[in-house]
Amino acid sequence: MKTYKQQDLANMKNIERACFVNCLSGFKSANVIGTRDRRQQDNLAIISSVVHLGSNPPFLGFIMRPHSVTRHTLENIEESGVYTINQVSEKFFRQAHQTSARYSRDVSEFEACGLTPEFEDGFHAPYVAESALRIGMQLVEVIPIQHNDTALIVGEVRWVKVEEEAVKNDGYIDIESLGTMAISGLDGYHRTQRAARLSYAKPDEPVKELDSNESSKDL
Amino acid sequence: MKTYKQQDLANMKNIERACFVNCLSGFKSANVIGTRDRRQQDNLAIISSVVHLGSNPPFLGFIMRPHSVTRHTLENIEESGVYTINQVSEKFFRQAHQTSARYSRDVSEFEACGLTPEFEDGFHAPYVAESALRIGMQLVEVIPIQHNDTALIVGEVRWVKVEEEAVKNDGYIDIESLGTMAISGLDGYHRTQRAARLSYAKPDEPVKELDSNESSKDL
């Protein structure tokens, strides 16, 4: 084992430090965020920081740097109040990655990257037709993280469009069966293979493996 | 595709909604967070919300509910100012999951779950010997998310202890080679298999696959 100290990190070139530090948190979620401004200009951006905030109310968050290449996304969200989160799967991860290029404001990344915008009725922001799990989100709050000039975007789930077979009896969604990918660092894309679902942990009782062959849900 | 609307989510039982909503963000990072209070009582908690905040300065965040079963972790962090983040790998994911049980404050989850605390010299918080990537963190700020009574814990990386072979020339850490797992929902644990590393995206230039056979880094 090698120990990298603060000074070792400080001595790295910027891109090397970015590669290194982006791997530290472990595997990251792979999502593209769809928005539309008031002139019907669409925007799509890959984001690896979408994070679960709570299930009641159903809240998701993500981290954004207001002055970065993804600023159009944040501007559209603040303008319209809504956005979509779309899980990235193996069949379109290259196109999803391509959305991180610096396109100008009047270019739709859907069009530039070969992805298809679709709409849930009455919802202003486009979702990605190629995605097997799409979420309509309503902005709740933009919380500034002042120490590094980023922000946590907090939103509430308004709707979820997903292949029903993936939703199990207990509510668990088999996102692996949807081909959803995980990201490492800035640019690593990974398939997954489930090792186990584990039972709710209790003191003095060993965890058991749950049966993963549950039937699909009939809500 | 089935559309689950707000009312469908509201109608779910709490545990079903928790299972469902916890799957929406995609794959989650698998880490255990090590802390120690001023009476040398250790604590270890599995957290699936560790997220990259920025690489310069190197900041990581995670989400915590101050009044939940993990509150001892937050209390220790606020008391001591330091904690460790340890990537969970396949060889100890069952023990890591077991740390989510409701142990009383005077029980060390290291001991109760069969994991080994070790110390980086002078650093107050224990790391997990079984983990192949351990990070020493200094608390920067606890940011309340008032709409759902959670908080974003912001910290700065002080040191990283990792198998050197996993660190590539460009700074990328091959966390897959370390056996690091990804989490789905509340209880799904997954191995990964890299599909590709993709080049930095530019407009009007298709992304290429990077060579993943880079030699290990010699800092």
Side-chain angles (χ1 to χ4, degrees):
Chain A
M1 290 269 183
K2 168 164 177 149
T3 303
Y4 295 81
K5 297 188 188 277
Q6 254 185 318
Q7 195 56 47
D8 297 320
L9 267 68
N11 288 344
M12 290 179 181
K13 284 180 236 151
N14 279 342
I15 179 64
E16 180 188 4
R17 189 188 313 106
C19 278
F20 186 88
V21 178
N22 267 277
C23 294
L24 297 179
S25 59
F27 285 103
K28 306 198 269 193
S29 53
N31 291 284
V32 279
I33 296 199
T35 58
R36 163 168 274 199
D37 74 9
R38 68 165 71 89
R39 290 181 306 274
Q40 322 282 351
Q41 177 64 52
D42 293 336
N43 191 285
L44 189 65
I46 189 161
I47 299 283
S48 63
S49 61
V50 176
V51 66
H52 175 83
L53 295 181
S55 56
N56 192 16
F59 276 10
L60 303 176
F62 67 97
I63 305 296
M64 181 151 277
R65 196 171 284 274
H67 307 298
S68 74
V69 61
T70 48
R71 71 185 183 284
H72 301 155
T73 295
L74 184 54
E75 288 166 6
N76 290 351
I77 290 173
E78 292 192 303
E79 185 179 297
S80 69
V82 293
Y83 53 107
T84 65
I85 297 177
N86 307 266
Q87 289 190 2
V88 172
S89 59
E90 192 161 1
K91 70 176 178 185
F92 72 101
F93 77 100
R94 288 176 176 81
Q95 293 97 308
H97 185 76
Q98 181 67 39
T99 66
S100 62
R102 262 171 214 281
Y103 294 104
S104 63
R105 176 184 275 289
D106 58 351
V107 170
S108 162
E109 288 84 1
F110 282 97
E111 207 170 310
C113 305
L115 293 168
T116 313
E118 285 186 355
F119 292 86
E120 179 71 7
D121 52 11
F123 201 78
H124 182 73
Y127 68 79
V128 177
E130 287 79 2
S131 171
L133 193 158
R134 314 87 170 235
I135 314 165
M137 298 292 301
Q138 171 99 45
L139 177 64
V140 170
E141 193 183 2
V142 176
I143 302 179
I145 306 173
Q146 282 161 351
H147 283 88
N148 74 341
D149 196 23
T150 57
L152 173 66
I153 319 305
V154 177
E156 182 167 0
V157 175
R158 299 299 298 272
W159 51 264
V160 178
K161 222 174 162 72
V162 60
E163 286 171 15
E164 196 173 357
E165 312 82 72
V167 182
K168 303 302 175 187
N169 282 325
D170 63 355
Y172 177 81
I173 308 173
D174 184 355
I175 61 173
E176 183 167 282
S177 76
L178 300 176
T180 298
M181 301 195 90
I183 291 178
S184 66
L186 291 167
D187 51 28
Y189 290 83
H190 304 253
R191 306 173 191 100
T192 66
Q193 185 192 8
R194 185 161 50 233
R197 285 188 67 192
L198 298 179
S199 59
Y200 185 83
K202 295 176 183 173
D204 304 319
E205 195 176 298
V207 293
K208 291 181 289 285
E209 296 202 5
L210 299 181
D211 179 12
S212 58
N213 292 318
E214 293 171 87
S215 59
S216 73
K217 188 181 169 54
D218 197 27
L219 252 194
Chain B
M1 290 269 182
K2 171 166 174 146
T3 302
Y4 295 81
K5 298 188 187 280
Q6 253 186 317
Q7 195 55 48
D8 297 320
L9 268 68
N11 289 344
M12 290 178 181
K13 283 180 236 153
N14 280 342
I15 179 65
E16 180 187 4
R17 189 189 311 106
C19 277
F20 186 89
V21 178
N22 267 277
C23 293
L24 297 180
S25 60
F27 285 103
K28 306 198 270 192
S29 53
N31 290 285
V32 279
I33 295 197
T35 58
R36 163 169 274 199
D37 74 9
R38 68 165 70 89
R39 289 181 307 274
Q40 322 282 349
Q41 177 65 53
D42 293 335
N43 190 285
L44 189 65
I46 189 161
I47 299 284
S48 63
S49 61
V50 176
V51 66
H52 175 83
L53 295 181
S55 56
N56 192 18
F59 276 10
L60 304 175
F62 66 97
I63 305 295
M64 181 151 277
R65 196 172 285 274
H67 307 297
S68 74
V69 59
T70 49
R71 70 186 184 283
H72 301 155
T73 294
L74 184 54
E75 287 166 6
N76 290 352
I77 290 173
E78 292 192 303
E79 185 179 298
S80 69
V82 294
Y83 52 106
T84 67
I85 297 177
N86 308 266
Q87 288 190 3
V88 172
S89 58
E90 191 160 2
K91 70 176 179 186
F92 71 101
F93 78 99
R94 288 177 178 79
Q95 293 97 308
H97 185 77
Q98 181 68 39
T99 66
S100 62
R102 262 171 214 280
Y103 294 104
S104 64
R105 176 182 276 287
D106 58 349
V107 171
S108 162
E109 288 84 0
F110 282 98
E111 206 170 308
C113 305
L115 293 168
T116 314
E118 285 186 355
F119 291 86
E120 178 71 8
D121 52 12
F123 200 79
H124 181 74
Y127 67 79
V128 177
E130 287 79 3
S131 171
L133 193 157
R134 314 85 170 237
I135 314 164
M137 300 292 302
Q138 170 99 45
L139 177 64
V140 170
E141 192 182 4
V142 176
I143 303 178
I145 305 173
Q146 282 162 350
H147 283 89
N148 74 341
D149 196 23
T150 57
L152 173 67
I153 318 305
V154 177
E156 182 166 0
V157 174
R158 299 300 297 270
W159 51 263
V160 178
K161 224 175 162 70
V162 59
E163 287 171 13
E164 195 173 359
E165 312 82 72
V167 182
K168 303 303 175 186
N169 282 325
D170 63 355
Y172 177 82
I173 309 173
D174 184 355
I175 62 174
E176 184 168 281
S177 75
L178 300 175
T180 298
M181 301 195 91
I183 291 179
S184 66
L186 291 167
D187 52 28
Y189 290 83
H190 304 254
R191 306 174 191 100
T192 65
Q193 185 192 8
R194 185 162 50 232
R197 285 188 68 193
L198 298 180
S199 59
Y200 185 83
K202 295 176 182 172
D204 305 317
E205 196 175 297
V207 294
K208 292 181 289 283
E209 296 202 5
L210 298 181
D211 180 11
S212 58
N213 292 319
E214 293 170 88
S215 58
S216 73
K217 186 180 169 55
D218 198 26
L219 253 192

